Each structure stands twice: as structure tokens, then as C-alpha cells.
Amino acid sequence: MRPASSLLVAGLGVLLAAGSLAPGAAMAAPVDAAPLAPVVSSLDFPECGSAETPTVCPHTGNHVGETGSFELKAAAGDVDVDAYRWVVLGATGDEPSGLSEPIATAAGRPRSIEFTSAGSGVRRLSVQARDRAGQWGSFASYDFFVPRNEPLVEWSFNDASAPGANTGADPESGELDLGGAGTSPLGRDDVGLRFDAGTPATATTAGISTADDFTVALWAHVEAAESMTLVSAASPEGDALEIGYDAETASWVAGRRSATGAELASAPGIRGAWTHLAVTYRAAADELTLWVDGVARSSVTYAADAWDSTDWRLGCGSASLAAAGCATATVDEVGIWGNAASGAVIAERVSLETNEGYATSMAAEWNLGVGTDTVESGVLADRSYGAQLRVEGAGDQYLPGAVLALPGAPEQSIALDHPVTDSAVSFSVATSVRFTDPTRSAVIAQQAGDNAAAWTLGYRLKSDGSGGQVYFRMAESDDADAAVAEVRADVWVPDDVNVVIGVYNAERRQIEIYLNGMRPEFGDGSAEGEMPEASFTTPWTARGGFEVGNGTTTTGLGGPSAPLAGELGGVWQYAGPLSINDISNADPGLPPGAVIANG
């Protein structure tokens, strides 16, 4: 039923429209007015404005990517309401667009809805109520502000004049004293911060305490085969936070440590590859979660409330504790939030987009074209991070400053005992190679898992005898019978130098192949037709050795067991996906970023 006052007004309107209030005049039936605008409220998304400051929006609500709720209830006295519906104006991303389905209620009782904002700034929720006669009433508009979930403190190290300056949302806090660290051009995105087991870089981050909700995220490249602390926060009780690498278990670890014990989450780690690490802490549950490459891998619930610290440091833990040592590592894109960020926010950090696309960086460069050392020592040194490929079975076939000539013998082996990039996130691999015997198939490079090669770059003959082709394959799981995604390109002059590049773009879930700076055309659709790109949907991390030219025994995944017979000019790996612009604009005969001889 409508309020008595509404019925009176409606009745008067009918009578006036009939033109008479005289006795005996025809009386029209009362018309039930549509519901009034409902009432909207939210603790998660506080409403903009007040009577005093109608245009001011609180910035204290849930951030982009965080789910919050709104309460919808009928206006006072509107007891005939049986449903609500709502819409967010200017819906973006994965937000629902258009009016929602009716949400049933009884007698205008409150109902709650949930909303996850994909956009920042002032947003508007509009809500209607419906009465039992099926009439939808006027809209209630509820304006609220969604802050961007960007870190309050962020260190990217790219500013040569102030490499420790905070470029986050609150630049007044968090200035970093670099201590014993120094900047390095080998960062994940341009310049990073390099530690050589020295004193830590320190900062006091005003407003961000380890006793409250917080998030820390960073890219890390651990080089030494030893345990180390990458991020910590010191307190009287011990390290209120530690993020680091445990060499004994080959694991990433995160949590807190006192003089008598530690409470740590852990997840399998890779030494020698860029890895994105993040930690979120929710104070209400005393729960800390460790994220690796955008995936929540492990959690620990503290036995007591978190310790309070705003004394953040990079590169070392508290010297007084039986903790891991100071780092021999490089870190980049370090951010600290005053809230527990969502998975969407962390995934956004992993993708590392720039104005030009996704950021890529050199992860390893074994460039024989600029080398001067022979392989008498049995190793080829990476020009980026010093990772050393053990060379066996090549004899005196190494030509200094030119190529490594491989006979294609079963005993030849060029290997590293750990990965160079993580096969579960975006990466690229490039080789400069000449097939001295084009009639032989060859595995050029691959990343081993326990049961399968995560990816393989190779060469094979086409079954119809029309020539050879290079291929880039990725296995869907670490299983000998796993499905495989493949891209391929025909090779027109195999006994000339060919630059072969395989790319995995994790954001697009796609693999690609390039030959001599060119992307092949789509072929005839046959099993051996050219294929420039293919979808790849189930990435996994291979933690076996990185191998070059060795052939393989996993015939179904890596092609035939075919050691490379040819001349190897170099191998390059990249953290991130090379773009077609990166590749087409590279120096002729070399992949992007390759060091040029005498250049």
C-alpha cells in the first residue's frame, strides 16, 4: 500500500481532472503511484558528498579490483515493494552492463548486492524499486569514489638523479636510502637495484605498518646459490616481514621471524630467472599469502597478531636473527600498498605493461659473435648475469668471435642446471644458427621438465620432401603424453645463418614464431603448413636444465632425438614477450638487444 498522503494527492489529482468536486460528480478509482526512489548505502564504497560539501568524495573505500557490497532498501513507508534492480553507469572491463535482473524482496526489506569495480574515479550506481503491480519507480543515484589500487610507495630506480625516490601515490613518504646497493641496467624494466650481499637499502614508509593490511610486490632475480632476504621490515620482536629465497629447499619464502622461530609461507622457486613475488597480509585473519608470478601459492596464519613495523628495507633481514643472509640479487618495480591487494591488481603488475606494450628485458645472452674466450674451460658465459653453459663434446670446434660448430654427435652437451626464464609467464627465446646438414633434424634449444620439455625450438624436414622448417612448441603439462601447441615456419636456405625466435605471450595465451625478423604467413592448414601463432592455455613452470643443441628423448614433445649438427652463433633469452616491432626493428641478422661485435 502507498502512504496515505500519496493516496490523497493522487485522489485529488483524479478529481481535478474530472472537472468537478460537486456532490454527485463521477468518482474515479484511486491510482497507485509508482514506488519512490529506494535508499542506497555502503560501508565498502562511502557515498560522495554531504549537505556541507556535496561534491567531496571520500577516498577511503574499496579500491579497483576489490569486491564490496551495497544495501538497497525501500523508501520509508514504501511497503509495497517486491523487487529492486540496479545498474552502474559507464560500466567498464568485466563490470555488469545494463540493468540487473530483478532482486526479489518482501515489503521493501533490505537486500545486498556485490560489486567489483574495474575502473577508478567517481562512479554512479542507479537503483529502482518495483511494486507488486509491476510498476518500476524513479531511480536513486548513489555516487562513490573508487581509488586506483596503486602502491603508496613505489621504487622503479629509473630516475638517474634520484634512483631511490618514491614514485607511488604518496611520494612524500618512502624515500629509499640505497645503502650498499647500486643501480643496474639489467633491471626487469630498464634499471633495477643490484645487491652484492652488502648493507640493505632502507626506508621508513609513513602510514604503512606490517600490523595492518598491506601488500608488497617486486620483481626478483636471485643469482647466488644461497639463501637470502630480499625484503624485510624490522621490529623489536624480530623481522615483522621477510621475503626471500631458501637455497636448501629451492623455495621462495615469506612471513615473520623471531630469535626463536619463524612462521613462513613457501613455494617452489627458480634461481637465475626473473620472478614476480607478492605478499598480501589481512590483519583481521592474521593471514599472510605468498604470490608467485601472479598466483597465490601458499599462506600462513600467524599464531598471534602481526608485529608493528614501518621500517622497511631491501636486500637484508635483521642481522641479529638466525635469518638468511643479505642478497646477491637484482630487484625491480618494488611497490608497497596500505591494503591487501586483489589478485587482479597483482596480475596487472606481472604483465608489466609500458607505453610501448609489454616490457621485455634480456635474461641471458650467449653471444659467440662478440666472444674472445675459447671453450677450453668448458663453459660459455652469459653476458647478462654470468650464467655459464657447460660445453661438452664440441672439441676444438669453437671459432673465437664467430660460432660454436657442433658435430651433431650423441655425446655433445651444452647445458645449464637451472632455467633462464619461467615457462609459466611471458618469455622469448632466440638463436642464430646455420644447419650444416639440412637433411638432419635438430633440436636447437629447450627447457626441461621432469617428464617433458616445457618448450622446444627446433628444425625438421617436411614429410613431403619439400624442404625444412623451424618450429616452436610448448607442452600443456609436465607429462610425456601431454598435448602440444606448435607454430612453424619454412626455412628456404637452411645452410645460411638463420635467426629463429619463439615467443610466449602469457597475457594473450599465445605462442608465435619469427624467422629472420619476419612472421610467416598462415599456411594451407595442414599439419606441416606454416603457422605464425597458436593458442596456449595451460602454462606450467619447468625447473629442469636449460639445454642447447643436445637433442631430446621426449620424442612426442621435443621432436626427434636429434642433436644439432650446425654452427651456433648465439642464444638469447628474454623475460617478457618480444613484439613484432621489437623484432622487425632489430639489427639485421641479430635478435633485439643483441650486443654487436666491436659495437
Side-chain angles (χ1 to χ4, degrees):
M1 294 293 294
R2 304 292 296 146
S5 59
S6 298
L7 292 175
L8 177 60
V9 172
L12 287 172
V14 172
L15 291 174
L16 290 171
S20 174
L21 289 175
M27 296 293 292
V31 175
D32 191 10
L36 299 174
V39 178
V40 183
S41 61
S42 176
L43 295 176
D44 298 322
F45 299 105
E47 186 174 16
C48 292
S50 64
E52 294 77 22
T53 54
T55 61
V56 173
C57 297
H59 288 213
T60 57
N62 284 17
H63 296 72
V64 170
E66 297 176 340
T67 300
S69 63
F70 295 90
E71 183 183 81
L72 318 178
K73 66 179 181 180
D78 245 349
V79 296
D80 198 29
V81 169
D82 74 346
Y84 308 105
R85 64 183 180 184
W86 60 278
V87 62
V88 173
L89 303 183
T92 184
D94 294 330
E95 296 173 359
S97 59
L99 283 165
S100 70
E101 293 296 318
I103 302 167
T105 187
R109 290 189 178 92
R111 292 296 305 274
S112 290
I113 61 171
E114 288 192 339
F115 176 66
T116 305
S117 180
S120 62
V122 178
R123 310 300 306 277
R124 171 167 290 183
L125 175 72
S126 292
V127 184
Q128 281 180 301
R130 185 186 69 187
D131 63 20
R132 288 181 295 173
Q135 299 182 98
W136 288 102
S138 55
F139 279 96
S141 292
Y142 183 93
D143 293 337
F144 58 100
F145 184 85
V146 180
R148 291 181 60 185
N149 204 342
E150 59 185 10
L152 292 178
V153 174
E154 184 166 27
W155 300 300
S156 62
F157 315 111
N158 292 335
D159 186 345
S161 61
N166 168 27
T167 58
D170 183 16
E172 298 302 316
S173 65
E175 190 78 13
L176 188 70
D177 180 351
L178 298 188
T183 57
S184 166
L186 297 175
R188 176 61 182 86
D189 180 22
D190 201 9
V191 178
L193 190 66
R194 162 90 184 171
F195 296 97
D196 288 300
T199 57
T202 58
T204 298
T205 53
I208 305 179
S209 167
T210 56
D212 302 321
D213 286 7
F214 70 84
T215 299
V216 181
L218 71 154
W219 282 96
H221 189 287
V222 169
E223 293 143 45
E226 58 192 36
S227 298
M228 63 188 71
T229 300
L230 299 167
V231 179
S232 68
S235 73
E237 295 87 351
D239 275 347
L241 173 70
E242 279 186 16
I243 304 173
Y245 177 75
D246 182 72
E248 184 176 350
T249 60
S251 298
W252 304 113
V253 293
R256 66 180 180 183
R257 185 187 304 272
S258 70
T260 58
E263 296 170 276
L264 301 172
S266 65
I270 299 179
R271 178 177 65 85
W274 276 110
T275 304
H276 190 267
L277 303 175
V279 165
T280 54
Y281 177 70
R282 299 183 184 277
D286 287 323
E287 183 182 61
L288 179 141
T289 300
L290 171 62
W291 303 67
V292 181
D293 289 329
V295 178
R297 294 296 187 186
S298 177
S299 294
V300 60
T301 301
Y302 292 157
D305 290 345
W307 307 326
D308 183 10
S309 174
T310 58
D311 181 12
W312 297 80
R313 58 187 65 187
L314 306 181
C316 293
S318 298
S320 61
L321 300 178
C326 293
T328 301
T330 305
V331 300
D332 200 1
E333 302 296 322
V334 182
I336 307 176
W337 290 252
N339 58 76
S342 67
V345 172
I346 294 172
E348 190 176 274
R349 302 283 292 192
V350 177
S351 67
L352 197 55
E353 292 186 64
T354 69
N355 292 333
E356 291 77 33
Y358 299 110
T360 61
S361 52
M362 190 73 76
E365 181 182 16
W366 292 283
N367 187 344
L368 285 84
V370 295
T372 57
D373 298 330
T374 69
V375 293
E376 292 176 0
S377 61
V379 299
L380 291 176
D382 159 33
R383 295 180 62 84
S384 298
Y385 295 97
Q388 295 186 335
L389 282 169
R390 299 184 309 276
V391 180
E392 299 174 3
D396 58 359
Q397 299 298 304
Y398 178 72
L399 308 178
V403 296
L404 178 64
L406 298 173
E411 65 271 15
Q412 74 187 31
S413 173
I414 307 173
L416 181 67
D417 61 2
H418 61 77
V420 180
T421 55
D422 188 343
S423 58
V425 294
S426 296
F427 71 91
S428 306
V429 56
T431 60
S432 173
V433 61
R434 185 171 80 87
F435 305 104
T436 52
D437 184 353
T439 66
R440 293 181 56 173
S441 296
V443 173
I444 306 169
Q446 67 179 4
Q447 177 56 51
D450 289 336
N451 303 296
W455 58 263
T456 303
L457 195 67
Y459 168 81
R460 66 185 173 214
L461 293 176
K462 299 175 73 172
S463 60
D464 61 3
S466 61
Q469 61 183 191
V470 288
Y471 60 86
F472 179 54
R473 321 181 90 198
M474 290 191 72
E476 297 280 0
S477 67
D478 192 11
D479 187 285
D481 298 317
V484 174
E486 180 181 283
V487 287
R488 47 195 175 265
D490 291 345
V491 180
W492 298 107
V493 189
D495 59 351
D496 200 354
V497 175
N498 288 277
V499 175
V500 187
I501 300 177
V503 176
Y504 171 48
N505 189 314
E507 285 67 46
R508 296 177 185 167
R509 293 294 178 91
Q510 179 176 288
I511 61 174
E512 302 170 284
I513 193 167
Y514 297 84
L515 179 61
N516 298 322
M518 302 293 290
R519 176 184 165 98
E521 299 291 334
F522 280 97
D524 57 9
S526 67
E528 294 182 321
E530 288 193 300
M531 180 68 66
E533 63 185 49
S535 62
F536 179 74
T537 56
T538 58
W540 54 278
T541 296
R543 294 186 168 85
F546 172 68
E547 303 173 353
V548 180
N550 298 355
T552 180
T553 57
T554 53
T555 304
L557 299 175
S561 179
L564 172 63
E567 295 177 348
L568 188 70
V571 181
W572 297 259
Q573 273 213 263
Y574 306 82
L578 291 172
S579 70
I580 189 169
N581 288 335
D582 294 329
I583 294 168
S584 61
N585 292 329
D587 292 295
L590 288 172
V595 175
I596 302 172
N598 302 318

